[in-house]
Amino acid sequence: GSSQEEPVKVGVALVDVLTGLHLGMGVLAALRHRDLIDGEKSGQRIEINLLSTALSSLVNQASAYINTGTVARPLGNKHPSISPYEVFATGNGELAVAAGNDSLFKRFCQAIDREDLAQNPEYATNDARVARRERLAAEIEHTLVTNTSEHWFSNCREYGVPAGPVNDIAQAFKFAEELGLDPVQNISGTRVVSNPLNFS
């Protein structure tokens, strides 16, 4: 969405999920500590809260604030310091592109047959591309709308560029099945999402 939109929450209780995952790691660390400390009989009290989890999960945005005072502003699907690293319209949907460095940008330009963009000095470095983000995005989208998300995804894979069609939930499960990830398990007659962890 545009930077003018009102604040929007994510579609699931993401901070709750992340807090639970952090807590699980804390429990495992406490058990490991108990096992390594010879003769220790007592456990550890583990404390965690949602706000601390939310702040630590801001990753690069939190780092930018605590080190430079930069307060992130809404950018929709754009990355604050990398371009092109966003979602573009295609002929039949949308494509997420993560050309995170100069080499990937050049390969992305090859994948979409726009090597002229890679050769343009105005887009030679990431800083230059970020400064001209809107103009570059318009050039890219002008090309991407001429074919399908699947076509561009195939080209990007061929050139090793991180990209993919924007999927709804049904399409995401179908894609996981195509990749052989077995995204659904049947446990006692109930279908559940597979645990992402796989052990040998």
Side-chain angles (χ1 to χ4, degrees):
S2 83
S3 60
Q4 302 305 311
E5 290 180 357
E6 65 183 26
V8 179
K9 72 180 186 69
V10 292
V12 297
L14 191 59
V15 174
D16 294 40
V17 172
L18 291 169
T19 301
L21 291 171
H22 278 80
L23 180 58
M25 287 188 287
V27 169
L28 294 174
L31 289 171
R32 184 71 175 137
H33 178 262
R34 182 197 66 187
D35 292 342
L36 289 174
I37 305 301
D38 211 9
E40 177 141 355
K41 302 294 183 201
S42 61
Q44 297 209 37
R45 178 182 176 87
I46 301 171
E47 294 187 13
I48 192 165
N49 64 76
L50 296 171
L51 181 56
S52 294
T53 299
L55 292 176
S56 71
S57 299
L58 288 173
V59 197
N60 57 308
Q61 300 285 22
S63 237
Y65 170 68
I66 62 177
N67 287 295
T68 69
T70 302
V71 175
R73 61 185 179 85
L75 286 172
N77 289 310
K78 299 172 182 71
H79 193 286
S81 56
I82 302 173
S83 181
Y85 199 112
E86 57 196 271
V87 173
F88 299 99
T90 67
N92 70 338
E94 295 166 312
L95 184 77
V97 175
N101 58 45
D102 295 342
S103 172
L104 283 172
F105 175 65
K106 288 175 186 169
R107 290 192 305 211
F108 174 61
C109 291
Q110 291 176 304
I112 66 170
D113 198 24
R114 287 297 308 271
E115 293 179 72
D116 59 299
L117 295 176
Q119 293 162 5
N120 186 334
E122 292 192 333
Y123 305 131
T125 66
N126 181 64
D127 286 347
R129 292 190 295 277
V130 169
R132 297 168 182 86
R133 180 195 306 274
E134 299 305 324
R135 192 183 339 154
L136 176 60
E139 288 281 357
I140 291 169
E141 204 157 85
H142 179 74
T143 298
L144 294 184
V145 295
T146 65
N147 215 317
T148 65
S149 297
E150 294 73 23
H151 170 80
W152 299 122
F153 176 46
S154 175
N155 282 16
C156 285
R157 286 180 77 174
E158 182 182 337
Y159 282 91
V161 178
V166 176
N167 294 317
D168 63 22
I169 292 176
Q171 291 167 327
F173 272 91
K174 183 177 181 227
F175 184 45
E177 287 169 5
E178 290 169 358
L179 294 175
L181 298 178
D182 298 324
V184 178
Q185 300 294 318
N186 194 315
I187 299 176
S188 302
T190 302
R191 285 164 55 83
V192 297
V193 180
S194 297
N195 189 312
L197 286 172
N198 291 287
F199 292 91
S200 60

